[in-house]
Amino acid sequence: MSNREMVILSVGGVRFVTRASTLQQFPESRLARMLNDDDQEFKLVNGEFFVDRDGTLFSYIMDFLRTLQVSLPTDFSDYQRLQREAEFYGLYPLADLLSQEHLLKPRLEILEVRFSLQEMQAFFRIFGSCSTTVETLAEQITVFTGQQSGQSWNSPFSSQKPLVPLPLERPSHHDMVFQCGTDYSAGDQFVARYVSIKPDNRKLINGTNVLGLLLDTLLKDGFRLISTRTVSSAEKVECYSLERMRRPAGLTVTVSQTPGSSGAAQAKRSQVQKGK
């Protein structure tokens, strides 16, 4: 039976088809022993192994055996029940990972955009509870500067005059500062600052347009706008608060086997899913 390529299981009435090698990832588990008829809990009926357990939770067991990673939906809540199922099947590395429930649960992430409009200049400051998200966003935003003639707020970008990219100000790992618009220099010369936000390739100088593109980018990235307020009416500072549920980094198991051993497993953190 252990040499059989395909195995069919009926768990609580839910049918699963998998490879024998998948069930043998952990040789000392009950699923591995099942293939050798070493466990009477699993009944072979018409070529299928019948198991009187929860079929829905077993789908997460199978996903773990196939990927060696715990990946659960954001609304998942049955951590203790799934841990009991893992213990029943003798998958103790999985049970150990599930005991670290605080590492598996999605976390609420907050982002705050402060926007100030002063004459022909707009100032932005972005605060985030997750430094990884702020860092990723900073990599998407580029500010370009150049000396322009007769430039006004709504003037289009002049491709004949090359612009110089500027680094964003990063007061801390959790925030960034940048500005756009024009500032009077001398004569009819203006210092112009344009903002580009990937994947959009446009270079925008109008602060309202930049704000709209920024918010649209964040909404497409899974954030939702929860509030807007005026921080300072005198300085015309507006604040936009956004939030999203951020999936945690994946928890994986590394399996190492040596000749003559039944295999060992070690849990570790893995940055399989990046801060979204």
Side-chain angles (χ1 to χ4, degrees):
M1 183 67 70
S2 60
N3 294 325
R4 191 175 179 178
E5 180 66 16
M6 304 302 295
V7 180
I8 302 175
L9 301 95
S10 177
V11 184
V14 183
R15 196 167 181 262
F16 296 88
V17 180
T18 187
R19 295 177 180 271
S21 57
T22 300
L23 300 176
Q24 293 169 330
Q25 287 276 23
F26 299 89
E28 294 183 353
S29 71
R30 298 182 73 176
L31 290 170
R33 298 201 308 268
M34 172 192 73
L35 299 178
N36 297 319
D37 297 324
D38 289 341
D39 197 312
Q40 297 303 312
E41 186 75 31
F42 304 89
K43 305 296 183 181
L44 187 59
V45 180
N46 298 326
E48 298 183 11
F49 286 99
F50 174 76
V51 191
D52 190 17
R53 303 293 294 190
D54 190 306
T56 301
L57 292 179
F58 189 73
S59 64
Y60 301 118
I61 300 285
M62 285 303 307
D63 183 62
F64 170 74
L65 290 174
R66 289 165 176 153
T67 66
L68 297 182
Q69 181 182 0
V70 180
S71 181
L72 301 173
T74 54
D75 59 351
F76 186 81
S77 59
D78 289 337
Y79 293 93
Q80 292 184 350
R81 289 183 60 213
L82 184 55
Q83 184 178 351
R84 286 199 302 268
E85 293 299 293
E87 292 171 348
F88 169 81
Y89 292 108
L91 295 170
Y92 297 107
L94 173 58
D96 290 341
L97 292 185
L98 291 167
S99 68
Q100 304 178 65
E101 183 178 333
H102 64 289
L103 298 178
L104 292 168
K105 284 185 174 181
R107 298 181 181 180
L108 182 64
E109 182 179 353
I110 302 296
L111 202 67
E112 185 177 277
V113 178
R114 294 200 174 192
F115 171 67
S116 176
L117 190 60
Q118 300 176 11
E119 296 183 352
M120 292 192 298
Q121 295 185 77
F123 300 87
F124 294 84
R125 186 161 191 172
I126 303 175
F127 304 86
S129 60
C130 176
S131 61
T132 302
T133 297
V134 176
E135 184 66 35
T136 300
L137 185 60
E139 293 173 357
Q140 294 178 254
I141 299 175
T142 306
V143 177
F144 298 89
T145 185
Q147 200 82 11
Q148 306 290 337
S149 298
Q151 195 68 264
S152 66
W153 180 262
N154 292 308
S155 297
F157 164 64
S158 175
S159 59
Q160 297 179 348
K161 297 181 179 180
L163 300 178
V164 179
L166 291 176
L168 300 181
E169 294 182 46
R170 296 296 307 277
S172 74
H173 293 297
H174 289 272
D175 62 340
M176 71 180 83
V177 178
F178 62 93
Q179 69 184 81
C180 64
T182 58
D183 187 22
Y184 178 75
S185 177
D188 63 347
Q189 296 293 311
F190 289 83
V191 175
R193 294 194 180 191
Y194 299 82
V195 174
S196 179
I197 306 177
K198 296 178 181 178
D200 194 296
N201 293 319
R202 293 174 296 171
K203 294 181 176 65
L204 302 176
I205 194 172
N206 185 300
T208 303
N209 292 342
V210 173
L211 176 64
L213 178 58
L214 175 61
L215 294 177
D216 184 59
T217 300
L218 294 172
L219 293 174
K220 289 180 179 178
D221 203 26
F223 282 95
R224 68 182 187 94
L225 184 64
I226 57 175
S227 69
T228 60
R229 69 182 191 276
T230 300
V231 178
S232 171
S233 55
E235 297 179 3
K236 300 180 181 179
V237 179
E238 300 175 357
C239 178
Y240 299 80
S241 298
L242 304 99
E243 69 175 20
R244 72 174 176 186
M245 294 302 293
R246 178 173 176 265
R247 294 185 65 87
L251 282 176
T252 65
V253 165
T254 300
V255 179
S256 58
Q257 294 188 358
T258 57
S261 71
S262 59
Q266 180 181 6
K268 68 174 184 178
R269 293 298 297 273
S270 174
Q271 300 294 332
V272 175
Q273 301 180 40
K274 194 174 182 180
K276 286 200 174 188

